[in-house]
Amino acid sequence: MAEFTTGEAVALELPIARIPTRATAFIIDVLIQLALYLLLFTLMALVLLPLDPDEAWVDAITLLIVVGVLVGYPVACETLSRGRSLGKLVVGLRVVRADGGPTDFRHALTRGLAGVIVDFWLLGLFGAVAVVTSICSRDARRVGDVLAGTVVVHSQATLPFPALVTPPPWLAGWVTRLDLSGIPEDLALAVRQYLTRVRTLTPEAEAALGGALVAAVFARLQVAAPAGYPPVQILGAIVAERQRRALTPPSYGLVRTG
């Protein structure tokens, strides 16, 4: 078991997946990838050979199939299923963020590329690098997990629903105009933890810690903080807007509030 602190400052214990179960999931995925490669290669042969294509075209399509199978398969599976390839689904594993939250395309792509280049194939000595790094890591993380900020856990435990923040109405319109991409995850986590624990702080500690977090956030945003508002309201508006943007379907775009 390992203890995580989620983005909403919820303490959560999840069982870490170790090498035996991860190796089983990996073997299942490799067999599926092999079958997928043979299927796609056969289809390519059936379509192209009667056309007598140039050798360069055959090489290019073959390379595309290899990359699609080695990288596209795990990235697509883990993105669509929020952290589960077919092999992980069979043995009951899933990939989560280092704070216990669900992963997205960015995490899956980083793990997929690192898996092909470093952990398993090109430089990985057929998985030796992944095994060594997993043994040396407290949470059994391979190189791809370290780069993506993820951990593989057993999927029996359910993740808590996030504690959503409601922005102060008088700051809702202002915060929608900010570019919040400059706030790193560790700083955002510190802000969320401050908001969830603010009622347990003394007024002096609340003001000091809130002021320090406001200064750190707006140094990253490179804009001035709004004057005349307490830190808890400013930080609450920023966290609420980050959550709103994360939960808004991309096809609908950003909806202006306030």
Side-chain angles (χ1 to χ4, degrees):
M1 301 293 290
E3 183 173 306
F4 299 84
T5 300
T6 71
E8 287 69 38
V10 177
L12 179 67
E13 284 193 344
L14 295 175
I16 296 295
R18 300 293 175 179
I19 290 178
T21 50
R22 293 188 66 171
T24 303
F26 175 74
I27 292 173
I28 294 173
D29 284 328
V30 168
L31 293 176
I32 294 173
Q33 287 173 295
L34 179 61
L36 183 61
Y37 171 79
L38 293 176
L39 175 62
L40 294 176
F41 190 82
T42 301
L43 290 176
M44 180 192 72
L46 292 176
V47 172
L48 293 184
L49 289 182
L51 302 177
D52 192 22
D54 185 87
E55 185 176 346
W57 277 101
V58 176
D59 293 340
I61 295 175
T62 301
L63 179 61
L64 183 63
I65 291 175
V66 172
V67 173
V69 170
L70 291 181
V71 179
Y73 163 80
V75 171
C77 286
E78 291 187 7
T79 300
L80 295 175
S81 64
R82 306 302 293 272
R84 294 180 180 177
S85 66
L86 294 178
K88 291 183 179 64
L89 183 63
V90 170
V91 299
L93 304 180
R94 71 171 169 221
V95 183
V96 298
R97 296 196 312 258
D99 66 355
T103 57
D104 56 23
F105 172 75
R106 175 176 59 87
H107 302 95
L109 181 61
T110 302
R111 295 184 79 257
L113 291 175
V116 171
I117 298 172
V118 181
D119 283 315
F120 301 113
W121 306 121
L122 296 183
L123 304 175
L125 302 176
F126 300 99
V129 171
V131 171
V132 171
T133 54
S134 296
I135 292 174
C136 296
S137 170
R138 182 192 66 180
D139 295 330
R141 302 169 77 187
R142 63 177 175 86
V143 175
D145 290 314
V146 175
L147 295 177
T150 57
V151 182
V152 179
V153 300
H154 290 274
S155 59
Q156 289 84 355
T158 57
L159 298 180
F161 290 103
L164 300 181
V165 179
T166 301
W170 45 90
L171 292 176
W174 160 80
V175 76
T176 59
R177 298 189 292 270
L178 296 179
D179 178 9
L180 303 179
S181 59
I183 302 177
E185 284 301 320
D186 57 347
L187 180 55
L189 175 59
V191 172
R192 289 191 292 262
Q193 291 175 333
Y194 166 77
L195 293 175
T196 56
R197 299 171 181 173
V198 68
R199 293 185 179 181
T200 66
L201 302 176
T202 64
E204 294 79 11
E206 176 186 342
L209 181 56
L213 288 173
V214 167
V217 167
F218 283 89
R220 290 282 188 170
L221 297 181
Q222 298 183 344
V223 297
Y229 300 102
V232 66
Q233 294 184 5
I234 298 173
L235 298 174
I238 289 175
V239 170
E241 180 63 15
R242 280 173 57 91
Q243 290 179 338
R244 186 184 70 81
R245 294 181 187 182
L247 296 174
T248 300
S251 58
Y252 297 141
L254 296 181
V255 179
R256 201 174 185 81
T257 61

